[in-house]
Amino acid sequence: MKRRFSMILAFLTLLFSISSTAAASGEEEVYSYRFTFQGPLWTFNYNLNAYYSGSGSTPSLRAALFKVHSWGEEDLDREERFFPLYYSPRSFASSAQFLPLVTGTEYVIKVYSTAPRSDWGGISISPF
Protein backbone atom coordinates (compact mmCIF):
# COMPACT_ATOMS: atom_id res chain seq x y z
CA MET A 1 0.00 0.00 0.00
CA LYS A 2 2.82 2.38 0.89
CA ARG A 3 4.61 1.61 -2.37
CA ARG A 4 1.44 2.19 -4.39
CA PHE A 5 0.96 5.58 -2.73
CA SER A 6 4.58 6.49 -3.51
CA MET A 7 4.12 5.53 -7.15
CA ILE A 8 0.93 7.61 -7.44
CA LEU A 9 2.65 10.57 -5.80
CA ALA A 10 5.62 10.29 -8.17
CA PHE A 11 3.27 10.11 -11.17
CA LEU A 12 1.34 13.21 -10.09
CA THR A 13 4.58 15.09 -9.47
CA LEU A 14 5.74 14.21 -12.98
CA LEU A 15 2.44 15.38 -14.49
CA PHE A 16 2.58 18.72 -12.68
CA SER A 17 6.18 19.26 -13.72
CA ILE A 18 5.28 18.53 -17.36
CA SER A 19 2.38 20.99 -17.33
CA SER A 20 4.51 23.73 -15.83
CA THR A 21 7.20 23.59 -18.51
CA ALA A 22 5.20 25.44 -21.19
CA ALA A 23 6.88 28.79 -20.58
CA ALA A 24 10.23 28.86 -22.31
CA SER A 25 13.22 30.56 -20.77
CA GLY A 26 12.70 34.32 -20.66
CA GLU A 27 8.94 34.04 -21.28
CA GLU A 28 6.04 34.69 -18.98
CA GLU A 29 2.32 34.07 -19.24
CA VAL A 30 0.59 37.30 -20.28
CA TYR A 31 -2.97 36.08 -21.02
CA SER A 32 -5.12 32.97 -20.80
CA TYR A 33 -8.42 31.96 -22.38
CA ARG A 34 -10.38 29.06 -20.87
CA PHE A 35 -13.16 27.34 -22.81
CA THR A 36 -15.14 24.12 -23.12
CA PHE A 37 -14.98 22.82 -26.66
CA GLN A 38 -18.49 22.43 -28.10
CA GLY A 39 -17.70 21.00 -31.54
CA PRO A 40 -19.05 19.58 -33.76
CA LEU A 41 -15.79 19.93 -35.71
CA TRP A 42 -12.51 18.77 -34.26
CA THR A 43 -10.84 22.13 -34.84
CA PHE A 44 -10.96 25.24 -32.67
CA ASN A 45 -10.42 28.36 -34.78
CA TYR A 46 -9.69 31.66 -33.10
CA ASN A 47 -8.44 35.19 -33.67
CA LEU A 48 -5.74 36.66 -31.48
CA ASN A 49 -5.36 40.43 -31.21
CA ALA A 50 -2.68 42.12 -29.15
CA TYR A 51 -1.09 45.52 -28.83
CA TYR A 52 2.42 45.96 -27.40
CA SER A 53 2.62 49.22 -25.45
CA GLY A 54 6.06 48.72 -23.91
CA SER A 55 9.29 50.34 -24.95
CA GLY A 56 12.02 48.67 -26.95
CA SER A 57 11.82 46.16 -29.73
CA THR A 58 8.69 44.10 -30.31
CA PRO A 59 8.75 40.91 -28.21
CA SER A 60 7.83 37.37 -29.18
CA LEU A 61 4.28 36.16 -28.66
CA ARG A 62 3.02 32.57 -28.73
CA ALA A 63 0.01 30.58 -27.59
CA ALA A 64 0.07 27.07 -26.12
CA LEU A 65 -2.85 24.68 -25.64
CA PHE A 66 -3.56 22.87 -22.36
CA LYS A 67 -6.21 20.30 -21.48
CA VAL A 68 -7.84 20.88 -18.08
CA HIS A 69 -8.09 17.91 -15.72
CA SER A 70 -9.27 17.67 -12.12
CA TRP A 71 -5.60 17.36 -11.05
CA GLY A 72 -4.27 20.26 -13.12
CA GLU A 73 -3.48 21.26 -16.67
CA GLU A 74 -1.80 19.03 -19.23
CA ASP A 75 0.42 20.68 -21.82
CA LEU A 76 -0.71 19.20 -25.14
CA ASP A 77 2.52 20.31 -26.83
CA ARG A 78 0.64 22.33 -29.46
CA GLU A 79 1.50 25.94 -30.05
CA GLU A 80 1.09 28.82 -32.46
CA ARG A 81 3.59 31.64 -32.88
CA PHE A 82 2.35 35.11 -33.75
CA PHE A 83 4.17 37.86 -35.57
CA PRO A 84 3.57 41.61 -35.68
CA LEU A 85 1.64 43.09 -38.58
CA TYR A 86 3.85 44.25 -41.42
CA TYR A 87 2.57 47.84 -41.14
CA SER A 88 2.62 48.06 -37.34
CA PRO A 89 5.41 46.39 -35.38
CA ARG A 90 3.45 46.85 -32.14
CA SER A 91 0.22 45.15 -33.24
CA PHE A 92 -0.50 41.46 -33.58
CA ALA A 93 -3.64 40.20 -35.33
CA SER A 94 -3.77 36.66 -36.52
CA SER A 95 -6.01 33.63 -36.94
CA ALA A 96 -4.98 30.19 -35.76
CA GLN A 97 -6.42 26.80 -34.99
CA PHE A 98 -5.86 23.90 -32.65
CA LEU A 99 -6.89 20.37 -33.54
CA PRO A 100 -8.02 17.75 -32.76
CA LEU A 101 -10.11 18.64 -29.72
CA VAL A 102 -12.69 16.54 -27.88
CA THR A 103 -16.27 17.84 -27.59
CA GLY A 104 -17.28 18.65 -24.01
CA THR A 105 -13.68 18.87 -22.79
CA GLU A 106 -12.27 21.95 -21.07
CA TYR A 107 -9.13 23.57 -22.48
CA VAL A 108 -7.09 26.69 -21.81
CA ILE A 109 -4.99 28.68 -24.26
CA LYS A 110 -2.10 30.42 -22.54
CA VAL A 111 -0.30 33.26 -24.27
CA TYR A 112 3.40 33.73 -23.50
CA SER A 113 5.71 36.62 -24.27
CA THR A 114 9.26 37.74 -23.67
CA ALA A 115 7.80 41.08 -22.46
CA PRO A 116 6.04 41.38 -19.09
CA ARG A 117 2.23 41.48 -18.84
CA SER A 118 2.35 45.19 -17.98
CA ASP A 119 3.85 45.97 -21.42
CA TRP A 120 0.79 44.72 -23.26
CA GLY A 121 -1.98 47.24 -23.92
CA GLY A 122 -4.42 44.46 -24.61
CA ILE A 123 -4.60 40.83 -25.66
CA SER A 124 -7.80 39.07 -26.66
CA ILE A 125 -8.81 35.73 -28.12
CA SER A 126 -12.12 35.30 -29.88
CA PRO A 127 -13.33 32.00 -31.37
CA PHE A 128 -14.99 31.87 -34.78
Side-chain angles (χ1 to χ4, degrees), residues 51 84-92:
Y51 179 76
L85 300 172
Y86 68 93
Y87 60 85
S88 174
R90 297 188 168 279
S91 294
F92 294 74

Side-chain angles (χ1 to χ4, degrees), residues 38-125:
Q38 297 301 322
L41 302 175
W42 286 51
T43 62
F44 180 75
N45 299 298
Y46 64 96
N47 291 323
L48 178 134
N49 293 293
Y51 179 76
Y52 177 63
S53 59
S55 60
S57 61
T58 307
S60 69
L61 190 69
R62 70 178 180 92
L65 181 67
F66 293 80
K67 185 175 182 181
V68 178
H69 297 278
S70 59
W71 47 261
E73 297 168 348
E74 173 189 6
D75 185 350
L76 295 178
D77 199 25
R78 296 186 195 135
E79 68 175 42
E80 291 285 341
R81 293 197 175 273
F82 300 100
F83 301 95
L85 300 172
Y86 68 93
Y87 60 85
S88 174
R90 297 188 168 279
S91 294
F92 294 74
S94 195
S95 294
Q97 70 177 359
F98 285 121
L99 67 140
L101 301 184
V102 179
T103 301
T105 302
E106 190 173 7
Y107 296 92
V108 63
I109 297 172
K110 294 183 179 185
V111 179
Y112 297 95
S113 175
T114 52
R117 184 185 306 241
S118 60
D119 282 358
W120 288 97
I123 299 176
S124 66
I125 289 179

